[in-house]
Amino acid sequence: MDPKVAKLKEKPKPFLFPEFCKGCGRCIGSCRFGCITEGTEINPETGLIPVVLDLEKCSGCGLCASACPEPFGLFMRVVDVEEIAKEDLEGVHTFQEMVELFDKADFELTDPSELFGPRETEAPEPEPIPDQWIPFSHDEPLVLKGNYASAVGAILAGCRHVYGYPITPSTEGAELMAKLQPLMDGVFFQAVSEVATVNMMYGTGGAGLPCMTFTSSPGFSLMLEGISYMVGAELPAVFVNIMRGGPGLGNIGPEQADLKLACRGLGHGNSHAIVITPSTPQEMLDLTMLAFELAFKYRNPVIILGDGYLGQMTGRVNLPDKMKKPGIPEWAVYGDLSHRRNLICSIALSEADLERHNIHLNAKYAEMAANEQRADLFHTDDADVLVVAATTPARMAKGAVQELRNQGIKAGLFRPITVWPFPVDLLKPLLEGARRIVMVEASNGQLEDELRLALSKEGVHPPPIQHVRHFGGVLPQQEEIVEAVRKGEEAAK
Amino acid sequence: MSVSAFYQRFERHAKGLGIKGHSTHYCPGCGHGLVHKYLGESIDELGVQDRTIAVSPVGCSVFLYYYMDVGNTQSAHGRAPVVALGHKLANPESVVISYQGDGDLASIGLAETFHAAQVGMPITVIFINNAIYGMTGGQMAPTTLLGQETATTPRGRDRTAGLPMRMAELIAQLDGPVYVERVALFGAKQREKAKKAIKKAVRLQVENKGYSFVEVLSECPTHLKMTPPEAEEWVKENMVPIFPLGVMKDVSDSITSEMEFKPFTPSFEVEKVRDLILEGAEEKVPRHAAAFPEHIAKEDVSLKLAGAGGDGAQTAALLLTRMAINEGLDSTHIPSYGPESRGGTSYADVHIARQEVLSPASPQPNILVAFNAPSLVKFGPNVAPDGIIIYDSSVIADPPSINGNVKMYGVPFTEIAVKIGRRVIKNVVALGALQAVTELFPEETFLEAIRQALAAKCAMIPMNEEAFRWGRKAVLEGMED
């Protein structure tokens, strides 16, 4: 052992690097012997006035250290001289000498961060636990309500954490989950509100596990703050919003009036999420499974918009041929050693950091827009008139298109399956043939706005747009769509 | 520096450069640093650093994640306890700390605070009460004292601004928590108690005993406009009389092993999942129909079943959908209820399609089944030309005349059901009548669907089959019973 750096076997005594003292003086009152006094000299590194220690009478009781609010402030230690540059330690053998060394005016702490070593944490680099797909077979179709089908889809997508607050017409999803999840040692938890619901999802999504909720329009409004946080913190989750009549309390009839909210207003900030619009119980299952895939693929919430009819509608549902056992992604805060390094966070205090984060998010949105446009086309190849509709109204529209075809009118249906991103790439080619568009909606034209905006961004001027609209909990019916298209055709002649 | 639950360098604080790498962002004399230290020491001493998740919501301590070398989650204002529950439920083995200030816990997050406490799941809530809003610059907190001047109570808080919230007392009133204590940071004695309380609150979570809550009276010298020693004195003299210190509740010793929280692991066993989803529906039901009922409609039969809530229109409609799907067809059912689920009007639209149901609504049904007079009056006139109406002649004595070639059949659903012994079975009587009138599907298709629906209540099957047969019989015998 090098005699110059001998370890001391003294009782631990308070030790302070003046650079880490803010001079609050909490320690002063804690010392019975008056070892600590207010300082008088401003520390050039901090601009603060650190306290002064005179440890002649120190008993090593440690009360001063426990009074110091700074993690690297006053602390008790037996000086281990190896931590300090050896040339500075010439002749230094006692704790007191050590303190004096640091008090010397000519001793400069050039980079205080070097004092405690460079590492931030000893936690290992996180490693992902991969998902597993397990074969699942069942040939016979089930007879399921839309809300139930979505719940079954979620279970097969590996979701074992469901949070919610009851709201008509979405509750069947939650009720089925409340029945089934505990039998799989999964979780259904009725939160105190929708605000609490989305934040429980923030926690579970942050832990890297698939989670979801069933809600309806007024409840969805309440979740928007949390969704913005989830977008900011890049957390996966699936929100099934079975839209009902609004604004305000409105009624429990079917509507499509949250499209704008989901596509353009997911809380504050530059937020976006993929918005999926199923139109059959089968799609409620299939697209819920897809929603979980996309949520994890992009680390972003995914919104499923149904309407009151779709949630309540019972129909034929075929099950998929596989189910998922989810793993844990490397970014998760799961509460174990391998994820200890991680942070779930939507703060970026510095403007440069936040701009960088937003650029990253926008690049992600662009990727979603490029890859995830989906639409269903029915008789569109030679269509003169393009009927555009989503969710249940798309079924009325499909019936109408078939009826119109039977009558010799060349109508076709363009049904967006994603409304954000709007499937404009699939729409554009159809506009080469179509002379007119008829928008069928249960809202004041929110889908039409999405269509117009998407076309406008593409520099495409749309053909004349006619619309069939209902709101207040009423859906457009097949006959009136047929009527509207016929009238439009006659007017065009 | 001996607390390993702190990062060795605060990389997240201004990238860990210079002084900030080892210095907190808190003002001199702030109580947060002390509580961070006691929390860090407790985590170390209990050996749970790897399992710990610290949740830091909006407030000065939102940057807790700069310092604690544990899993970190930053959350929205007031929502930390439910974010904590979301973590706890995701990984019941994790040790979750919800670290909140007074604005967060006692103002915007009250609902979450109380609910999480009453749920009682083992999480640890650390509540920093300094009687003022620090981060936003010295505004009134829910715990601001009467007369205390703040940026939003410039003449001192008066009663119109509300009285200070005593959270520890309120939380202790609830049945959920196992341990609630209020501590302070002035003087060595209080600090020692604070450290002990925090450690106990974490330990009770580690031991799965339940929810713990520690309120810490803390100093905010900056916004109190005092020196740190003055602020300590102020807390002692002014806060303690309003917020008395001590244990408010401690039932941790009486938590037996049965009452403890039991960590769980979700199942992904394919057989189990399949059984739960299929719920006994996995048996393939034989087909009985030779073809699509094109004598009613070419591609798509639309039906409407309407009555008062409780008449069983929905159940009957669902059975029709099930039958059609059993027969390899496509089918949909949409219920429409009145304002109340019971007692209002209730109708169901059913479609049965050879290939695919397009529009699932039935504004002009081929078949209407009416359980009461208002339904018949409302929907009767819309029935498609050549359509069929079947109504309950027990309750509709004087049916309106319907135009066109619509055929009407009155069958005493209720009377027959009462005779069999259960009034509620009238919807099955109606199905029997429907089968006899329309021959939508063979008899056996109907009976099969009824048995399938009652698989879990086998004892009910004979009575339902009887009701079905009586409904048929009433039609076939010209309604003479």
Side-chain angles (χ1 to χ4, degrees):
Chain A
M1 193 186 195
D2 184 339
K4 283 187 235 165
V5 290
K7 284 192 179 180
L8 305 182
K9 295 285 179 202
E10 282 195 17
K11 197 174 176 184
K13 294 266 175 100
F15 186 82
L16 180 67
F17 291 103
E19 282 70 18
F20 304 139
C21 173
K22 291 175 176 170
C24 75
R26 272 183 179 270
C27 51
I28 295 173
S30 73
C31 181
R32 284 176 293 160
F33 305 108
C35 297
I36 311 172
T37 49
E38 276 185 46
T40 51
E41 281 181 40
I42 295 177
N43 182 291
E45 284 278 335
T46 63
L48 298 169
I49 305 172
V51 296
V52 177
L53 304 185
D54 178 358
L55 300 179
E56 210 168 306
K57 296 180 194 154
C58 176
S59 69
C61 72
L63 289 177
C64 57
S66 78
C68 178
E70 282 295 310
F72 289 90
L74 262 178
F75 62 101
M76 306 300 288
R77 72 177 210 167
V78 175
V79 172
D80 178 349
V81 291
E82 280 176 305
E83 288 181 23
I84 294 171
K86 285 180 185 166
E87 56 271 31
D88 288 331
L89 294 169
E90 292 284 350
V92 174
H93 299 293
T94 67
F95 186 83
Q96 197 56 44
E97 284 166 347
M98 176 71 80
V99 174
E100 279 164 15
L101 170 70
F102 283 98
D103 283 344
K104 271 186 200 165
D106 61 349
F107 182 83
E108 275 184 40
L109 202 57
T110 48
D111 184 359
S113 54
E114 289 303 313
L115 277 170
F116 303 95
R119 76 189 172 91
E120 185 208 5
T121 174
E122 278 176 353
E125 283 295 329
E127 289 210 16
I129 298 170
D131 294 338
Q132 261 177 275
W133 283 101
I134 306 167
F136 185 93
S137 69
H138 184 74
D139 298 333
E140 288 303 300
L142 300 187
V143 181
L144 287 180
K145 217 176 230 209
N147 284 332
Y148 289 158
S150 177
V152 169
I155 289 170
L156 295 174
C159 175
R160 295 291 182 275
H161 292 83
V162 183
Y163 304 111
Y165 188 83
I167 183 165
T168 309
S170 76
T171 38
E172 291 84 2
E175 286 168 9
L176 184 65
M177 288 301 203
K179 185 175 154 194
L180 299 186
Q181 286 292 356
L183 301 173
M184 297 180 285
D185 289 318
V187 173
F188 170 79
F189 189 94
Q190 184 168 323
V192 71
S193 66
E194 281 89 353
V195 176
T197 300
V198 65
N199 282 286
M200 294 193 74
M201 294 168 75
Y202 185 95
T204 299
L209 301 188
C211 63
M212 76 169 320
T213 190
F214 288 92
T215 188
S216 180
S217 308
F220 188 65
S221 282
L222 277 174
M223 293 178 177
L224 293 176
E225 179 205 37
I227 294 177
S228 170
Y229 274 76
M230 294 187 92
V231 170
E234 303 194 78
L235 299 184
V238 173
F239 295 80
V240 179
N241 174 5
I242 304 299
M243 296 179 285
R244 64 185 237 186
L249 197 52
N251 64 23
I252 58 170
E255 223 179 61
Q256 296 178 307
D258 302 348
L259 252 72
K260 187 160 300 229
L261 205 58
C263 295
R264 302 288 147 201
L266 282 180
H268 53 284
N270 302 302
S271 57
H272 266 303
I274 295 172
V275 181
I276 299 177
T277 47
S279 80
T280 61
Q282 180 71 57
E283 280 193 342
M284 284 290 272
L285 185 146
D286 296 342
L287 296 177
T288 300
M289 290 190 78
L290 175 69
F292 278 99
E293 288 306 300
L294 297 177
F296 277 81
K297 178 176 175 189
Y298 293 104
R299 275 190 71 179
N300 203 71
V302 173
I303 317 294
I304 294 178
L305 293 182
D307 56 64
Y309 259 34
L310 181 59
Q312 301 295 318
M313 189 194 304
T314 299
R316 182 176 64 183
V317 176
N318 292 305
L319 295 178
D321 58 5
K322 55 186 179 176
M323 61 168 249
K324 185 187 262 189
K325 180 180 182 186
I328 303 171
E330 59 182 342
W331 51 261
V333 173
Y334 185 70
D336 60 0
L337 174 63
S338 107
H339 298 86
R340 198 179 92 197
R341 272 172 182 263
N342 292 332
L343 165 67
I344 299 300
C345 181
S346 66
I347 303 182
L349 266 197
S350 101
E351 292 82 351
D353 286 350
L354 187 55
E355 182 161 49
R356 205 174 304 121
H357 184 52
N358 269 293
I359 289 168
H360 158 71
L361 290 179
N362 278 292
K364 195 166 81 170
Y365 303 152
E367 206 180 313
M368 293 176 192
N371 300 335
E372 308 302 344
Q373 296 182 23
R374 286 173 170 82
D376 181 37
L377 311 179
F378 179 64
H379 289 323
T380 51
D381 285 351
D382 59 343
D384 293 333
V385 187
L386 218 48
V387 179
V388 179
T391 76
T392 304
R395 302 194 69 167
M396 315 329 191
K398 198 169 188 180
V401 164
Q402 186 60 56
E403 174 74 30
L404 287 159
R405 285 274 166 176
N406 295 346
Q407 294 177 15
I409 293 173
K410 284 185 177 175
L413 173 69
F414 180 76
R415 177 171 72 88
I417 293 174
T418 53
V419 289
W420 197 96
F422 192 88
V424 68
D425 295 346
L426 296 158
L427 177 64
K428 274 193 297 182
L430 308 181
L431 294 180
E432 285 162 21
R435 287 182 280 107
R436 293 191 300 119
I437 290 177
V438 178
M439 300 293 309
V440 177
E441 295 195 62
S443 83
N444 57 349
Q446 298 186 10
L447 183 60
E448 182 176 331
D449 286 354
E450 287 306 310
L451 175 137
R452 284 182 182 273
L453 184 58
L455 286 176
S456 158
K457 283 184 169 177
E458 294 288 316
V460 177
H461 190 71
I465 298 181
Q466 196 190 338
H467 55 244
V468 180
R469 289 178 189 168
H470 273 293
F471 19 72
V474 184
L475 296 184
Q477 293 300 321
Q478 180 173 324
E479 279 315 305
E480 63 184 312
I481 301 167
V482 170
E483 200 55 35
V485 172
R486 287 188 64 94
K487 270 189 189 159
E489 282 297 278
E490 277 156 28
K493 279 174 195 165
Chain B
M1 251 312 295
S2 59
V3 181
S4 75
F6 284 120
Y7 290 119
Q8 291 296 308
R9 190 211 305 233
F10 305 144
E11 298 282 356
R12 291 177 181 136
H13 186 198
K15 317 227 178 295
L17 297 174
I19 297 289
K20 289 186 173 177
H22 294 91
S23 190
T24 67
H25 71 289
Y26 296 113
C27 307
C30 175
H32 274 304
L34 282 174
V35 181
H36 287 15
K37 252 166 86 166
Y38 303 153
L39 181 57
E41 287 165 6
S42 301
I43 290 167
D44 275 9
E45 287 161 21
L46 293 164
V48 293
Q49 183 181 8
D50 294 338
R51 293 159 59 192
T52 299
I53 296 171
V55 183
S56 50
V58 174
C60 288
S61 59
V62 70
F63 300 117
L64 183 61
Y65 63 84
Y66 285 176
Y67 313 118
M68 303 297 290
D69 187 356
V70 298
N72 279 289
T73 293
Q74 167 264 319
S75 90
H77 198 23
R79 318 301 169 214
V82 289
V83 171
L85 285 183
H87 274 290
K88 190 74 184 179
L89 289 166
N91 178 8
E93 304 284 352
S94 58
V95 176
V96 192
I97 316 289
S98 179
Y99 187 105
Q100 306 176 254
D102 42 34
D104 192 84
L105 182 138
S107 184
I108 196 168
L110 269 180
E112 287 83 357
T113 295
F114 283 120
H115 189 240
Q118 186 66 324
V119 163
M121 210 171 288
I123 59 170
T124 304
V125 176
I126 309 286
F127 169 40
I128 306 298
N129 174 6
N130 57 13
I132 202 147
Y133 277 33
M135 192 185 225
T136 47
Q139 296 82 7
M140 180 183 72
T143 49
T144 290
L145 304 180
L146 277 182
Q148 187 184 337
E149 287 177 16
T150 72
T152 49
T153 55
R155 286 170 291 280
R157 185 180 194 176
D158 63 22
R159 298 179 72 94
T160 58
L163 297 166
M165 294 283 280
R166 289 190 247 246
M167 291 310 297
E169 285 82 351
L170 286 165
I171 297 294
Q173 290 285 309
L174 300 174
D175 296 322
V178 293
Y179 169 60
V180 181
E181 181 167 357
R182 184 184 284 121
V183 295
L185 301 174
F186 56 81
K189 199 170 136 197
Q190 300 307 334
R191 285 190 286 267
E192 201 191 326
K193 282 187 179 170
K195 162 70 203 296
K196 272 191 183 156
I198 289 167
K199 184 173 176 184
K200 179 168 179 176
V202 179
R203 177 173 58 79
L204 291 175
Q205 177 179 182
V206 174
E207 292 171 355
N208 289 320
K209 296 286 186 195
Y211 173 101
S212 304
F213 181 96
V214 177
E215 174 171 345
V216 185
L217 301 187
S218 177
E219 293 81 12
C220 179
T222 299
H223 292 301
L224 291 173
K225 302 184 176 66
M226 295 174 188
T227 65
E230 284 167 358
E232 284 190 46
E233 193 61 20
W234 185 86
V235 169
K236 186 175 169 185
E237 296 300 323
N238 297 281
M239 286 187 78
V240 172
I242 306 296
F243 304 109
L245 303 178
V247 176
M248 304 292 159
K249 178 177 184 183
D250 186 358
V251 294
S252 55
D253 285 343
S254 60
I255 302 297
T256 61
S257 57
E258 289 88 68
M259 294 156 77
E260 280 173 12
F261 174 72
K262 307 281 184 306
F264 54 88
T265 311
S267 162
F268 294 92
E269 224 178 288
V270 79
E271 289 310 317
K272 188 176 216 170
V273 172
R274 188 208 310 271
D275 287 352
L276 286 172
I277 289 174
L278 300 183
E279 273 195 300
E282 70 260 61
E283 281 202 21
K284 193 177 156 105
V285 178
R287 293 181 184 177
H288 302 282
F292 181 77
E294 56 188 13
H295 59 283
I296 305 172
K298 250 168 75 184
E299 292 292 325
D300 184 326
V301 177
S302 84
L303 301 97
K304 192 182 279 288
L305 293 86
D311 276 346
Q314 303 302 338
T315 314
L318 268 173
L319 281 169
L320 290 169
T321 294
R322 185 179 283 272
M323 284 174 219
I325 292 170
N326 285 348
E327 292 295 349
L329 304 171
D330 192 20
S331 179
T332 56
H333 157 257
I334 305 179
S336 261
Y337 296 99
E340 313 88 14
S341 55
R342 289 257 156 203
T345 58
S346 162
Y347 67 89
D349 287 357
V350 175
H351 273 257
I352 296 169
R354 192 194 296 269
Q355 295 296 334
E356 181 193 357
V357 175
L358 301 176
S359 174
S362 304
Q364 287 141 330
N366 301 111
I367 299 168
L368 169 69
V369 179
F371 288 91
N372 65 5
S375 302
L376 183 55
V377 171
K378 188 173 175 190
F379 299 116
N382 301 332
V383 172
D386 303 321
I388 294 165
I389 297 176
I390 306 166
Y391 64 91
D392 186 351
S393 58
S394 325
V395 294
I396 309 171
D398 190 15
S401 60
I402 304 291
N403 297 332
N405 302 326
V406 174
K407 293 193 196 75
M408 291 185 67
Y409 299 84
V411 178
F413 305 157
T414 309
E415 210 179 297
I416 294 172
V418 169
K419 264 188 199 164
I420 293 171
R422 276 179 77 94
R423 196 186 171 83
V424 294
I425 216 164
K426 64 183 169 186
N427 58 346
V428 182
V429 178
L431 285 178
L434 175 72
Q435 196 280 331
V437 171
T438 66
E439 290 185 338
L440 180 67
F441 296 119
E443 229 184 309
E444 217 21 62
T445 304
F446 279 73
L447 290 169
E448 202 89 66
I450 290 169
R451 286 180 211 124
Q452 204 180 0
L454 291 171
K457 299 178 224 163
C458 291
M460 301 291 292
I461 292 175
M463 186 185 272
N464 277 270
E465 289 187 350
E466 196 186 346
F468 178 79
R469 294 211 168 88
W470 275 102
R472 287 193 80 238
K473 205 171 162 203
V475 171
L476 297 176
E477 291 178 2
M479 291 175 292
E480 271 17 279
D481 53 295

